[in-house]
Amino acid sequence: EAQVTQNPRYLITVTGKKLTVTCSQNMNHEYMSWYRQDPGLGLRQIYYSMNVEVTDKGDVPEGYKVSRKEKRNFPLILESPSPNQTSLYFCASSLSGQVYEQYFGPGTRLTVT
Amino acid sequence: GENVEQHPSTLSVQEGDSAVIKCTYSDSASNYFPWYKQELGKGPQLIIDIRSNVGEKKDQRIAVTLNKTAKHFSLHITETQPEDSAVYFCAATSSEGYSTLTFGKGTMLLVSP
């Protein structure tokens, strides 16, 4: 089944404890992206990758890191999480190297205390 | 950067009625305008999209119209059904390489039987 998977789906952590949210797609997609969703703010793009080893900042990259060492994986790293990073995170991918026809993962709900 | 405004924030209709959600965007160079549906506890799902060289696109009960001069686009759902109840997001590309999407804040659509 073609899909985008994220792990974990739920995570509660403490301020400053490094964490990684994994994202994987099995559709051989070129483009992958991370978004955060907050009430009243919609979806905001954190980072994106147009191909392996190519990453760039979205609208809200502060406090996040990403890497794209393999085509199928695009992990989101929070080196020192803070409470304002409490949010619902979505990974997405698309076949082309651009934003067209993105498929979204199921989401990861992160709480930082 | 791109700014996308979406209205209304909530919309209640009776089953069988039509629903219209409107979005405006600021970047005249934007060329791709998708609509996503998000059901409770799930990731956004692409339901229809339109590119700037087309004025209207239909897919069964769903249609999108684009007015590039006025910089607005709309989602039309006819013969609404209870399963159409969800949050709908519009989005537009940034003119910077068409690698980023800016989303509206969402419309919660409630279809009552």
Side-chain angles (χ1 to χ4, degrees):
Chain A
E1 179 190 355
Q3 59 183 347
V4 178
T5 57
Q6 296 179 227
N7 282 292
R9 295 288 314 279
Y10 303 90
L11 179 60
I12 300 174
T13 190
V14 296
T15 299
K17 186 176 180 182
K18 181 179 178 180
L19 66 92
T20 299
V21 183
T22 65
C23 173
S24 183
Q25 50 90 6
N26 62 0
M27 297 169 280
N28 201 35
H29 282 178
E30 302 277 341
Y31 180 96
M32 298 185 75
S33 184
W34 277 102
Y35 298 86
R36 62 177 289 174
Q37 184 175 31
D38 302 289
L41 296 179
L43 290 142
R44 293 179 293 166
Q45 194 167 30
I46 304 171
Y47 269 94
Y48 65 92
S49 170
M50 298 174 78
N51 212 327
V52 176
E53 302 290 2
V54 179
T55 63
D56 209 343
K57 297 176 181 178
D59 293 325
V60 289
E62 294 78 19
Y64 304 95
K65 285 177 58 177
V66 293
S67 68
R68 187 93 181 271
K69 293 182 169 54
E70 305 167 279
K71 198 172 189 178
R72 62 183 293 129
N73 297 322
F74 190 45
L76 179 68
I77 303 157
L78 285 72
E79 299 243 336
S80 184
S82 62
N84 65 11
Q85 293 178 297
T86 292
S87 188
L88 179 58
Y89 291 86
F90 289 100
C91 180
S93 70
S94 69
L95 181 62
S96 73
Q98 298 175 325
V99 296
Y100 308 124
E101 300 179 12
Q102 288 187 81
Y103 288 78
F104 279 77
T108 295
R109 185 167 292 283
L110 172 65
T111 302
V112 184
T113 61
Chain B
E2 176 73 278
N3 183 46
V4 177
E5 300 282 343
Q6 182 172 347
H7 299 280
S9 57
T10 59
L11 179 59
S12 294
V13 300
Q14 292 291 122
E15 183 176 2
D17 288 350
S18 294
V20 180
I21 303 170
K22 299 180 180 182
C23 288
T24 61
Y25 61 98
S26 60
D27 189 342
S28 58
S30 292
N31 75 339
Y32 176 66
F33 308 92
W35 286 90
Y36 285 85
K37 174 183 180 183
Q38 186 177 24
E39 297 175 333
L40 197 61
K42 295 185 178 180
Q45 179 184 12
L46 179 69
I47 55 172
I48 195 166
D49 57 11
I50 192 168
R51 304 206 184 190
S52 58
N53 58 345
V54 175
E56 183 177 3
K57 184 177 178 181
K58 287 184 179 180
D59 184 1
Q60 300 182 330
R61 297 186 295 109
I62 294 172
V64 56
T65 59
L66 172 65
N67 183 327
K68 286 218 71 179
T69 303
K71 290 190 285 187
H72 68 70
F73 56 112
S74 300
L75 177 71
H76 305 254
I77 306 174
T78 59
E79 301 173 16
T80 54
Q81 301 165 4
E83 51 264 40
D84 293 329
S85 296
V87 179
Y88 292 81
F89 292 96
C90 65
T93 50
S94 159
S95 61
E96 298 172 0
Y98 309 109
S99 54
T100 61
L101 267 184
T102 300
F103 283 80
K105 291 181 169 50
T107 296
M108 181 175 289
L109 173 64
L110 178 61
V111 181
S112 302

